[in-house]
Amino acid sequence: MSRVLRIVGVAATCLVVGTSAQQWCGKNYMASEPIVAPGGDFPIPSTSSSPLLAFRCAPAIKPYLPEDASSPASFIVDATITNSQVAGAAAIDLGSYGVPESVDVTISIDGRPVAAGSVPLNSTKFEIPFALGGLRPQATPFNVSCSATHYGQGKTQTFSAQTQLSFLPSPPEGRSVTKMDLRTGALLAKPATGAVGPYETVFPIGFYTNFGGYLASNLSLLDEIKADGFTIVHPIPTFDNLTALDLVIDRMQELGLYLMYDMRWTYLNTSAVTEEVNRIKNRPNLLLWYTADEPDGNVDPRNGTSLAYETIYALDGYHPVSLVLNCENYYFGDYTHGTDIVLQDTYMIGNNVTFSSQWGTPCTLDYGDCGCDNCKGEFEDISTRMDEFAQRLFDLGWDRTKAVWGVPQAFGFDTYWKREPTGPEFVVQSALAINHGGLGIIPWNDPTTDDIKASATALAKAIPAMKAFILNPAATFQRVISGRVDVGVWVVGRQTLVLATNLNYFATSFALASVQGLWVGESVSQVFDGGAQVAGKEIQLQSVGTGAFIFE
């Protein structure tokens, strides 16, 4: 996430022209420039005095393939009762019954009914099965209409929602497919080696990694990355030496490392995107595409991410698209319109977030750049950003179809950041992102310190045990925050994963009785030790300590 003002050459496409001023997140930051409100604030939904139904539907998997036709497919229906006038919300007359009630739902594909069911009000992730067998796979998505009927006291109300179903032809032999499980936002993929195997959930954890002068000249680094438990590598362009790039990706495939392919310098150029997608799309270890790197900070054309997204899906369609946003609140909807996965990179360690040491100006909501936009300089900046992004996706009606990942800070002594995080601080950043909905951890950047790499390695090796809970559609989740100890709790059957992280720079404890429904018996196993342990009926945490435990 280097801070570089872009001068973009655009070919074969039309983009909204961005500002030529020196700005970050739309804010002037030079001492010679005036304070001008940047605009781009996310609109806060107004509040209704009466209940609303936010009725939404989506396929459970994106994309489905012919290989899925022999198994039941399903649509997910959300029937959330809210008082916020979010996208698609409409007034519902609950009468004297209140919740729970139900709505009768019918789902049609291209106008033909294919599924129906009764869905409880205020439920989420309610699955209605349907058969793919009656459809012929096609490159373009099917249009899906969902209708819900509510029978109140002498009053019948109808609600509607639209979505799309991706049912693609089988890809060419050897070409990978990454599916999104829209019940959780998790990625599903076959082995990165290209070997025959089933789809499995993937929790991507691995660094943005220097290419030139690092990976390109030392392939053995990839062996170390694999041995350290990381699942993905995100090489940082430019890729001036395509022969070296091929060798890097080849070795990644041999080791079973997934590829996150970066087009940050070319995503606004349709011809360049076309060339790169066609060169990489058949790679068996390609997991996902990455287009824009901090487009909001750079004030890139706001329709650029969507144009790149459309180009990629026209050429490929078998892998999701991602990007990272740096700003706290600058045209969020415009930039995230063109992505399946939005990452946030809130770097709050080692910098003064209220006064810019680089530019000698204050940092406010309307002015300045301190390296962490609208931050308070505390770990909660990360969880707040994760929560804000998730809420905005819900407000836009995109919460089911887009996921959020975290980018922990793994660097320092650069521009605004006067020191590097410690290993434990790195883990706190990562755990906070996971507890607040993060489904991938992609730190910036490698090479990093030995302390950070050791802590990241320990976390990566714990992820396989943790992802069985975090990425499980059957899991129920709750979050508990007490005394700046942030705790995520996932329950699957008779087992419970507890991920606790201490945001304080002193030792403290967390009472397990704070977790609703958790029975603290004799059977507890620790799957990650970053300075925390269970003692009796509490978790004892060291300064900025983190621990993950499975309770039976």
Side-chain angles (χ1 to χ4, degrees), residues 170-255:
S170 298
E173 185 176 354
R175 186 168 173 181
S176 70
V177 179
T178 301
K179 301 181 180 183
M180 286 188 71
D181 185 340
L182 299 187
R183 297 168 296 181
T184 62
L187 300 186
L188 304 170
K190 293 187 175 183
T193 58
V196 175
Y199 285 95
E200 294 185 353
T201 56
V202 178
F203 191 105
I205 180 168
F207 288 74
Y208 290 85
T209 307
N210 289 357
F211 177 72
Y214 194 61
L215 287 179
S217 55
N218 188 358
L219 291 180
S220 67
L221 290 168
L222 294 168
D223 296 72
E224 296 174 16
I225 289 168
K226 178 65 176 180
D228 287 342
F230 299 106
T231 56
I232 193 168
V233 178
H234 183 139
I236 303 169
T238 57
F239 303 130
D240 299 326
N241 186 334
L242 294 181
T243 299
L245 179 63
D246 285 340
L247 291 172
V248 166
I249 300 175
D250 286 346
R251 185 57 183 155
M252 286 172 57
Q253 180 183 335
E254 292 170 2
L255 293 167

Side-chain angles (χ1 to χ4, degrees), residues 184 203 342 344 379-391 393 402-406 427-441 470 477-482 484-490 499-501 503:
T184 62
F203 191 105
V342 55
Q344 61 76 27
F379 286 118
E380 285 88 348
D381 290 328
I382 296 167
S383 50
T384 297
R385 190 72 54 91
M386 294 291 298
D387 293 346
E388 285 179 342
F389 279 19
Q391 182 63 50
L393 292 178
K402 298 180 189 291
V404 183
W405 293 5
V427 173
V428 170
Q429 296 178 75
S430 303
L432 264 184
I434 293 170
N435 282 353
H436 290 260
L439 301 178
I441 298 296
I470 297 168
F477 175 76
Q478 64 175 298
R479 184 187 307 113
V480 182
I481 302 173
S482 177
R484 297 190 76 217
V485 176
D486 193 292
V487 182
V489 182
W490 294 260
L499 175 59
T501 189
L503 282 56

